[in-house]
Every structure is written in C-alpha cells, then in structure tokens.
C-alpha cells in the first residue's frame, strides 16, 4: 500500500526545527539591522544632511549641521539664529549611541579636526560645504562624503580619505 502525506510527528518535528532556527536567528538579525549603533548614526547624519539641504533650498536660508566631536553629538541651526536660540538647539543635540564617536572631520582647505565643534554649511542655492566625516566604533569605520553639488551623499564602510583625485583607503 502506498502512503501519501506526512504523519503528525513529522509535521511537529519540522515546526519545532523551524521555531528553533528562528529563536536563534532573530536576535542576531535584529542586532545587525536595528541595534547597530554605528549604522544608526550614519543613517541619522545622512538623514539630517538631506533634510537640511531640502530646507535650505525651500526656505531660502543657510543652514548648518553642527558636529560636536568632543561630545559625539550633532544639532542643526540656521545661520542667523540668536545666541539664546543656538544654545537651546545645542541642548537638544542628538547624541550618538554608546561606543560610536567621530574620529575626525575634514573640510576643503582645512586640516582634519578631531575635537571641538565643526559646522557644515548648507547653502540656499542647494550647495553643501564639502565635508568628509569619519565615524568609528571599536575597529569598524564609516566615511560620509558630503559633496558640494551632487544630490547624493556617499557612504563608505571603511575609513577613506577623500582627495580631489578620488577616494584613497587609509
């Protein structure tokens, strides 16, 4: 006699094995996709930069992305803000997750800065002050390249020095 189908024990075993694989895999997937502080910080900075560029053009105002390298935080401001309003914005700064820090920031015509505050200007014409931001967590690096005229922001999952000739790995 020919048997078609599966027994209840076979089906239960398959369901159990699938459940076991999910229990083991989901935390790692969640950790990789959601709770990776370095990637989250990159997404936050890129999102803020895109929003500032759009706001600058739409409102015809010059904006700044202020990076506090010493405290691993950033905030935004408008060029003609009062000192009180600027201090208020600084208090609302977005702080990076534990272990994520700015390694250094370089802007065209200036030396790399690895401490203090740095401002990236977003002009009302849609231009951005050319800037390279290097983020680090433990031994992992990310490089964010803000190009002056392009509407794209380039991201490298390594420490990359950017020169007028192109990208050079450090």
């Amino acid at each position: 006699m020919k048997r078609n189908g599966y027994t209840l024990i076979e089906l239960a075993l398959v369901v159990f094995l699938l459940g076991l694989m999910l229990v083991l895999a989901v935390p790692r997937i969640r950790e990789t996709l959601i709770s990776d502080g370095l990637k989250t910080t990159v997404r936050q900075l890129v999102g803020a930069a895109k929003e500032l560029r759009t706001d600058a053009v739409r409102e015809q105002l010059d904006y700044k992305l202020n990076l506090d390298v010493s405290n691993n935080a950033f905030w935004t401001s408008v060029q003609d803000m009062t000192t009180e309003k600027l201090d208020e914005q600084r208090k609302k700064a977005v702080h990076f997750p534990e272990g994520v820090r700015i390694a250094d920031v370089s802007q065209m015509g200036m030396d790399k800065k690895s401490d203090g505050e740095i401002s990236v200007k977003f002009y009302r014409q849609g231009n951005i002050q050319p800037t390279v931001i290097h983020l680090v967590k433990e031994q992992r690096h990310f490089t964010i390249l803000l190009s002056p005229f392009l509407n794209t922001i380039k991201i490298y999952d390594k420490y990359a020095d950017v020169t007028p000739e192109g990208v050079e790995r450090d």
Side-chain angles (χ1 to χ4, degrees):
M1 185 170 152
K2 190 173 179 181
R3 254 181 58 190
N4 290 331
Y6 300 100
T7 67
L8 183 59
I9 293 173
E10 291 170 331
L11 289 174
L13 182 63
V14 168
V15 169
F16 172 76
L17 290 174
L18 285 172
L20 184 63
M21 288 179 1
L22 282 174
V23 165
L24 296 175
V26 167
R28 291 184 186 185
I29 292 171
R30 189 187 70 192
E31 179 181 317
T32 302
L33 296 178
I34 298 171
S35 29
D36 182 357
L38 186 56
K39 287 182 181 179
T40 300
T41 303
V42 169
R43 284 192 298 270
Q44 285 177 327
L45 283 172
V46 168
K50 287 180 179 180
E51 186 176 333
L52 285 175
R53 175 182 268 162
T54 302
D55 290 349
V57 172
R58 183 181 62 236
E59 297 175 19
Q60 286 298 293
L61 294 170
D62 293 341
Y63 278 82
K64 290 182 183 179
L65 175 65
N66 302 289
L67 302 168
D68 187 347
V69 179
S70 302
N71 294 314
N72 298 310
F74 73 92
W75 70 94
T76 62
S77 62
V78 180
Q79 187 173 9
D80 58 355
M81 257 186 193
T82 64
T83 307
E84 294 82 24
K85 188 72 173 167
L86 191 58
D87 287 339
E88 187 179 313
Q89 285 294 102
R90 186 179 282 121
K91 289 177 186 172
K92 294 180 190 176
V94 176
H95 291 273
F96 300 159
E98 183 73 29
V100 177
R101 64 182 179 79
I102 299 173
D104 56 59
V105 178
S106 58
Q107 294 177 313
M108 187 177 284
M110 303 169 76
D111 291 334
K112 285 183 184 178
K113 283 188 77 174
S114 55
D115 62 352
E117 292 181 6
I118 300 160
S119 294
V120 181
K121 295 176 187 161
F122 293 78
Y123 300 101
R124 64 188 79 187
Q125 298 86 1
N127 304 347
I128 300 177
Q129 182 178 10
T131 305
V132 179
I133 304 168
H134 293 110
L135 298 171
V136 64
K137 181 178 181 183
E138 296 166 0
Q139 300 300 318
R140 295 176 44 226
H141 296 270
F142 269 88
T143 301
I144 302 172
L145 171 61
L146 302 174
S147 301
F149 303 111
L150 302 176
N151 267 341
T152 59
I153 297 171
K154 294 187 180 179
I155 302 167
Y156 302 95
D157 61 350
K158 60 184 179 183
Y159 187 103
D161 268 331
V162 180
T163 64
E165 293 81 36
V167 177
E168 300 174 2
R169 184 170 177 129
D170 236 11

